Amino acid sequence: MRRATSPQVLAGLLAGAGVTHFLLPKPFDSIVPRALPGSPRMWTQVSGAAELALAAGVAFPRTRARAASAAAVFFVAVVPANMQMAVDWRSRPATLRRAAQARVPLQAGLVLWARKVARDATR
């Protein structure tokens, strides 16, 4: 059996997250920063569609470098939603609160991962 490579895993993560935005939108709706115009559902669907498009781009070698670079930008763009979740979950049980707080620094890891996939695709 062939092992998945880093770009394939990143594409799978993006695809899974994108599909989840459409199948289970309520948790995503709830973390859309209230300052954004439009409905939370619209932002959930837009971000889900973006993740699916990025997944497709990362999956193919020809588009991988640009898509992975765009994924890094996307991961930065969703930091406010993760921060909103951390604020909203302040009164949740400690385990859930820590999980929500961990999402913010985890975004940095996703950004670095996407940038590495982009760099490796140009070699």
Side-chain angles (χ1 to χ4, degrees):
M1 179 155 72
R2 202 172 136 226
R3 285 182 51 176
T5 64
S6 182
Q8 292 167 328
V9 175
L10 179 60
L13 177 111
L14 286 161
V19 167
T20 305
H21 277 68
F22 291 99
L23 295 180
L24 301 168
K26 286 186 180 187
F28 297 100
D29 293 348
S30 71
I31 64 171
V32 172
R34 295 175 237 334
L36 289 175
S39 72
R41 182 60 51 91
M42 182 211 51
W43 287 105
T44 295
Q45 292 172 339
V46 166
S47 62
E51 285 173 318
L52 291 171
L54 291 167
V58 170
F60 295 101
R62 189 165 152 239
T63 56
R64 182 168 296 147
R66 285 188 186 170
S69 292
V73 172
F74 176 82
F75 291 141
V76 170
V78 299
V79 167
N82 291 323
M83 291 172 62
Q84 185 69 55
M85 183 180 187
V87 168
D88 290 348
W89 285 31
R90 287 181 309 223
S91 61
R92 299 271 176 114
T95 303
L96 294 175
R97 187 175 60 248
R98 281 192 293 275
Q101 292 166 344
R103 288 175 61 109
V104 175
L106 284 175
Q107 287 302 118
L110 292 172
V111 170
L112 295 173
W113 181 19
R115 289 186 61 198
K116 181 178 180 344
V117 168
R119 274 192 315 273
D120 290 351
T122 59
R123 292 183 183 161

